[in-house]
Amino acid sequence: MSSQARIPPEVKARIEAFKKIREQEKKVEENMKKIKYKIAVLSGKGGVGKSFITASLAFAMSYLGRKVGVLDADIYGPSIPKMMGVQGQSVMATSDGRIIPVTAPLGVKVISIGLLLPEEDVPVIWRGPLSTSAIREMLAYTDWSELDYLFIDLPPGTGDEQLTIAQLIKDLTGTIIVTIPSDVSRVVVAKAVNFARKLNVPIVGIIENMSYFECPDGSKHYIFGEGVAKKIAEKYGIRFLGEVPIDPRISRANDAGEPFFVKYPDSKASKVILELAKTIAEIVEQGTGG
Ligand SMILES: Nc1ncnc2c1ncn2[C@@H]1O[C@H](COP(=O)(O)OP(=O)(O)OP(=O)(O)O)[C@@H](O)[C@H]1O
Ligand SMILES: [Mg+2]
């Protein structure tokens, strides 16, 4: 009897599963080599506009002439397809198992679990290992060809999915932290900062979303609080990148599946986002991110 035959089937299955993971990890490494800058968008808390900021930065960066892709790593509530106007488009696969991303306005390539699942209103019930393996598959097999930027929209919090991204993409350029100026954000941003630092992921900076509402007469109203993210940035020694105003047209456009940045390029929010993209490009392309 050979030594192989004595291995019980359940152990064999585990070894096979482990081998598959190792193989996927290698594929991720190869795949990521074709992308110059990989930026994960993080927030300690949900609903702060992380997906909106990710989608808009991607459009803005593409508008600035860069080749851009977005990977929606929010497995539980993928909102990128709708926000980027590609909901319902079909993802194609090549005969050798590569996934072809869909193309959003301004040529931005998009992959999301939301494009791979049949219906929008069916809840995705994943256990931890399945959600991280879905992320690993997308990172390993999506055919981006060449990209300057890959923006990764993370689910809220600092759990398994965020850890998977940080560990799999060994040369992650950095993370952008998104917050709103409420008082609770102090604690959750601190968690996000500490998470990134523990994993040695450079922090490109912090963006404050929903900072203020500007009336037609130009007066600014700070609904949630004023200058909160700026103070947090100072406290933790990270870059404050800027503040994006509240605009009711943002949620309307997102709900309608119309990319806000493309539909309202002259709005204050889009202009701010374009400036943010320029700043981010300057930071990462000159290698001063962190
Ligand atoms: N600056 C803004 N002004 C007005 N509405 C906004 C703004 N930013 C985001 N929104 C709206 O707020 C809601 C939450 O935004 P979004 O889904 O991008 O947040 P998120 O942090 O990704 O949430 P989740 O934690 O669920 O992933 C959406 O309806 C979006 O359209
Ligand atoms: Mg989101």
Side-chain angles (χ1 to χ4, degrees), residues 39-43 45-46 50-51 54 70-77 79-80 135 151-166 169 172 174-176 195 201:
I39 298 179
V41 183
L42 183 71
S43 79
K45 196 175 160 321
K50 186 173 10 71
S51 300
T54 308
V70 173
L71 186 144
D72 181 2
D74 192 340
I75 298 294
Y76 303 96
S79 44
I80 284 292
I135 292 174
F151 288 98
I152 303 161
D153 182 27
L154 292 170
T158 48
D160 270 355
E161 293 78 16
Q162 293 78 0
L163 199 60
T164 299
I165 296 282
I169 310 179
L172 196 62
T175 184
I176 290 172
F195 177 81
V201 174

Side-chain angles (χ1 to χ4, degrees), residues 4 28 33 39 41 53 62-63 98 110 144 151 179 183 251 258 268-269 283 289:
Q4 277 286 320
V28 173
K33 274 189 197 142
I39 298 179
V41 183
I53 296 288
S62 183
Y63 178 81
R98 310 272 299 157
V110 180
W144 301 106
F151 288 98
T179 188
D183 209 46
S251 57
E258 297 168 327
K268 176 77 184 271
I283 295 169

Side-chain angles (χ1 to χ4, degrees), residues 217-260:
D217 66 4
S219 59
K220 285 182 179 174
H221 301 269
Y222 292 85
I223 314 277
F224 296 116
E226 193 176 344
V228 175
K230 209 176 229 169
K231 282 191 202 122
I232 297 174
E234 271 165 26
K235 181 170 172 195
Y236 291 99
I238 54 181
R239 245 186 231 99
F240 174 69
L241 296 171
E243 40 187 45
V244 179
I246 296 171
D247 185 334
R249 291 174 299 178
I250 292 175
S251 57
R252 282 207 292 273
N254 286 337
D255 287 346
E258 297 168 327
F260 176 83

